Amino acid sequence: MRGPILFGVRHLSPAAAFRLRRELDRARPELVLVEGPSDLNDQIKWLCHPDTQFPAAILAYTRQPPVRTVLWPFAVYSPEVQAILWAHEHGVPCRFMDLPSSVFLALAEAAAKREAAKGEDGEAQPEEPVTTDSVYRRLETLTGEDHDTFWERTFEQLGEEESFQTVNNTFGRQLRQASAHSRRDAAETVVREAYMKRVITQAAAGGISPEKIFCVCGSFHVAGLEENTPMTDQEERALPRADCSATLMPYSYYRLSSRSGYGAGNKAPAYFELLWDALNGEGLKNAALLYLTRLAAAHRRAGNLVSSAEVIEAARLADALAAMRGSRHPALADLRDASVTTMGHGSFSELAIAAADTEIGKTIGLLPQGVARTSVQEDFYRQLKALRLEKFRTPELQRLDLDLREKLNVKSEEAALGDLRRSFFLHRLRVLGVCFAALLPSRQDGASWGEYWELRWTPEVEIQVVESALLGDTVEGAAAFALKERADNSSSIAQAAAIFQDAFLCGMPAAASHALSVLQGLSVDSAAISEVADTASRLSLVVRYGGLRRFDPAPVVPLIQQLYLRACLTLAGACVCDAKAAPDVTRAMDLLNALQLSHDFLEEARWLSLLADISDRDDLNTRCSGFAMAILLERGKADEELLSREVARRLSPGVPADLGAGWFEGLAGKNRYALIARLSLWRQLDQYLSGLDDETFRRALVFLRRAFADFSPGEKNDIAENLGELWGLDARQAAEVLMNHVTQEEQTVLDSLEEFDFDDI
């Protein structure tokens, strides 16, 4: 008695899918078994649904963290899909026959634990075995072409007189003999094939004649299914299993082309779909013309000129290259070379965008309503539609500008707050780590009514949404759980403040309230001035823009007052620091100054008195004292007389050069145009530097170079003009001389500063 029909395939091969359907028509089986997770047969009906658009993928994932996933992606030209569709069209039962997804996930988890244990033990890794990948690399060396090209020339272009089943099964058997996987991979292969053999045997035992069972599997497994014995009941019960769920998800050609997580992908899925269309049309003889005309159209859409003559010449050149390389028809490599020569004028860069569009494509799958999804997926897609964000579900990066202000010229509240609701949704996805949208820096200082996003859909988005199912039933619920978990694990006021700000941006008052209570508890502990200032600044945004986001900021005000008071009491002590810590302290001073200016409920007199004290003291870091003076000047609380007196005191021969230059660095940290406009300041600085000896000047120059490093070319030019005026020279000529490249002598002095010893500062 003959056994079942074993049809070996490459998982994404148009020729395999095309010949498979012909063989199915000839064999007329009573059962079709397909390599795929045997516990997910309920997904097959959705693959056959008329509204399903490929590519799509079955995703299985563990229900307990850390989430592990396994994917089975399908394109319209996948042999498995065509076998399933043929069975559906002819009323023939169809089932998956590979290991259950729960077993795959359990095996992957066990393998990860073994690898982690090896790394901890420091064991030497065994020499890499000869795998199918290394055999492919050997083939590439022998043929001089990549494996996709080898496959296309050898198998996609088989003639009608040749049996695809026989040729491909033979290739799989030889590939199996030439490769020797690691013990773990080999063991998994044996287990998989024993399980598939068990499913086949059970089907035959159920009354179906073996020769009426049609099995579709990777050609690598054909020999194993012919030779290995079926798995026993005891062995089947001993298989490890993970607690998991599964869903059908849209996939993309871009993801298939990357082969990420799926070794049987191909580099040019859109091109392989073109081959599928050609096979189902007038044959592969038209595939080259289809490719070249689509490439030319894409190149023209990109704004480039392509003549009909160039397309015709590319077709002729592709035919010649195919003949030289032993192909029946031009392969993609031939078409690429020909098009670069004629349409790209010898440069692939000219055709890169058009080639990506024609070979990889932008196709994204689409699933029908009602497909089995997690509740978070359902909520995600419902909100995409409700918020009119469905148009952003493309692989192309798109901009979305939001105006969070209430629109008064619309009828419904839902429309009036549409952009605000979009903002809440996108921020919740950001909190969940779903990479659908990225927030761009604001075009205004601080937070405001405008938000600017970049959106792009990838299959990773779907996976990340699925993983969020462990946190809640909706996007909002999952985000609330994620925020609560982060808040409970936070150990500093800065972390808690960041979580509170996220909850505020997500429009989730309950989560914000919990984060605020955690923040209040942590605020009783000591914290660095930079952390206090950063926390108070984050809370300030909530008070200033709470109304814009429909958020009551009243509970936040007392905490800001508490942090502000603490900062005022500890800032002077923080200014007793070294040069490395000074930038953090001055940044904190800047944040606190902006904080006080933003809120009337923060005592101004206390802050100004503190700045005056820091500016006047000699026992603090001079950069901090200079920055305090800069703030006073900016706020109009220091007159010309006070500035002149401070400059004379700080920049005097009796003060070490590094201290004086450090003070000037702090002074130049704010309001530079006001400083540039004060000619008396530059006169005093000029007199100070002129009075230094060579060694002291070199010491001061190290700090002054750092002080002027952030000045713009325009600001430096204005300073040069000031100096020219002081020296009695033409201001513009002096600026040109001072802004020119340094002389060799000057460069020697500057190079010597690289070896300056800071240890004694």
Side-chain angles (χ1 to χ4, degrees), residues 340-657:
V340 168
T341 301
T342 59
M343 289 185 266
H345 309 105
S347 174
F348 175 71
S349 60
E350 289 192 29
L351 283 174
I353 296 176
D357 187 63
T358 309
E359 296 172 13
I360 297 175
K362 302 172 183 176
T363 304
I364 293 179
L366 184 65
L367 300 180
Q369 292 291 331
V371 67
R373 288 174 174 157
T374 64
S375 56
V376 171
Q377 282 177 289
E378 292 287 358
D379 184 55
F380 174 78
Y381 283 105
R382 180 187 61 78
Q383 293 202 54
L384 278 186
K385 184 176 182 180
L387 297 174
R388 298 181 178 180
L389 295 174
E390 286 183 305
K391 66 179 181 180
F392 295 97
R393 194 176 158 274
T394 69
E396 295 179 339
L397 192 67
Q398 299 185 68
R399 284 288 301 271
L400 173 64
D401 294 350
L402 300 179
D403 184 344
L404 306 184
R405 295 172 294 187
E406 182 177 1
K407 296 175 179 59
L408 303 178
N409 58 344
V410 295
K411 295 181 179 180
S412 67
E413 181 180 359
E414 183 176 331
L417 301 177
D419 277 3
L420 179 61
R421 293 169 57 238
R422 292 186 186 96
S423 174
F424 288 159
F425 176 65
L426 296 178
H427 276 293
R428 290 166 187 173
L429 294 178
R430 178 181 59 80
V431 164
L432 289 172
V434 177
C435 60
F436 178 57
L439 181 64
L440 300 176
S442 176
R443 296 171 189 166
Q444 296 83 21
D445 292 335
S448 69
W449 51 265
E451 265 190 3
Y452 312 98
W453 296 82
E454 286 184 342
L455 283 71
R456 172 189 283 161
W457 190 94
T458 64
E460 284 81 3
V461 170
E462 191 87 25
I463 295 172
Q464 291 158 354
V465 172
V466 169
E467 290 175 349
S468 300
L470 297 177
L471 305 179
D473 295 330
T474 63
V475 171
E476 181 178 0
F481 184 88
L483 289 169
K484 182 180 184 302
E485 196 171 51
R486 283 173 54 197
D488 292 342
N489 293 327
S490 58
S491 57
S492 67
I493 59 173
Q495 290 177 346
I499 297 162
F500 174 77
Q501 186 179 18
D502 278 343
F504 163 69
L505 294 173
C506 290
M508 300 169 63
S513 177
H514 178 70
L516 189 63
S517 65
V518 173
L519 176 57
Q520 289 171 329
L522 293 170
S523 65
V524 300
D525 298 327
S526 59
I529 187 66
S530 58
E531 192 175 14
V532 172
D534 187 65
T535 301
S537 181
R538 287 180 182 273
L539 298 179
S540 172
L541 295 178
V542 176
V543 174
R544 282 184 285 162
Y545 302 108
L548 188 66
R549 290 183 170 273
R550 303 297 188 273
F551 190 94
D552 180 14
V556 184
V557 173
L559 186 53
I560 293 179
Q561 291 174 318
Q562 175 188 334
L563 293 171
Y564 172 75
L565 179 59
R566 179 195 289 191
C568 289
L569 294 175
T570 60
L571 180 59
C575 290
V576 182
C577 61
D578 58 16
K580 292 182 179 180
D584 289 337
V585 177
T586 55
R587 178 180 174 276
M589 292 171 66
D590 200 24
L591 290 174
L592 290 168
N593 183 60
L595 178 74
Q596 195 282 315
L597 285 170
S598 300
H599 304 295
D600 294 335
F601 56 78
L602 299 179
E603 189 179 354
E604 181 183 28
R606 178 188 290 275
W607 177 242
L608 295 177
S609 174
L610 174 62
L611 290 175
D613 179 56
I614 293 173
S615 172
D616 187 60
R617 287 175 60 174
D618 294 330
D619 60 333
L620 306 180
N621 183 286
T622 54
R623 178 171 176 174
C624 297
S625 297
F627 196 78
M629 172 58 70
I631 295 177
L632 291 172
L633 285 171
E634 185 180 58
R635 297 186 61 152
K637 302 302 180 182
D639 55 22
E640 292 289 340
E641 181 181 353
L642 176 59
L643 176 61
S644 179
R645 187 168 66 248
E646 279 298 297
V647 172
R649 184 167 71 90
R650 299 285 184 176
L651 303 179
S652 65
V655 176

Side-chain angles (χ1 to χ4, degrees), residues 99-100 103 187-199 201-202 228-241:
L99 288 173
V103 177
E188 182 174 319
T189 298
V190 171
V191 170
R192 289 180 62 192
E193 291 168 353
Y195 189 91
M196 287 191 274
K197 192 70 173 282
R198 170 188 173 86
V199 173
T201 304
Q202 288 179 334
N228 293 342
T229 57
M231 180 178 289
T232 65
D233 292 346
Q234 183 179 0
E235 290 170 337
E236 193 274 337
R237 287 192 297 269
L239 290 173
R241 285 178 170 81

Side-chain angles (χ1 to χ4, degrees), residues 97 188 316 483 679:
M97 64 175 180
E188 182 174 319
R316 291 173 176 170
L483 289 169
L679 194 62

Side-chain angles (χ1 to χ4, degrees), residues 248-268:
L248 191 64
M249 58 174 277
Y251 214 61
S252 73
Y253 275 173
Y254 176 79
R255 178 72 165 170
L256 276 179
S257 71
S258 71
R259 304 192 186 193
S260 178
Y262 190 65
N266 48 42
K267 294 180 181 178

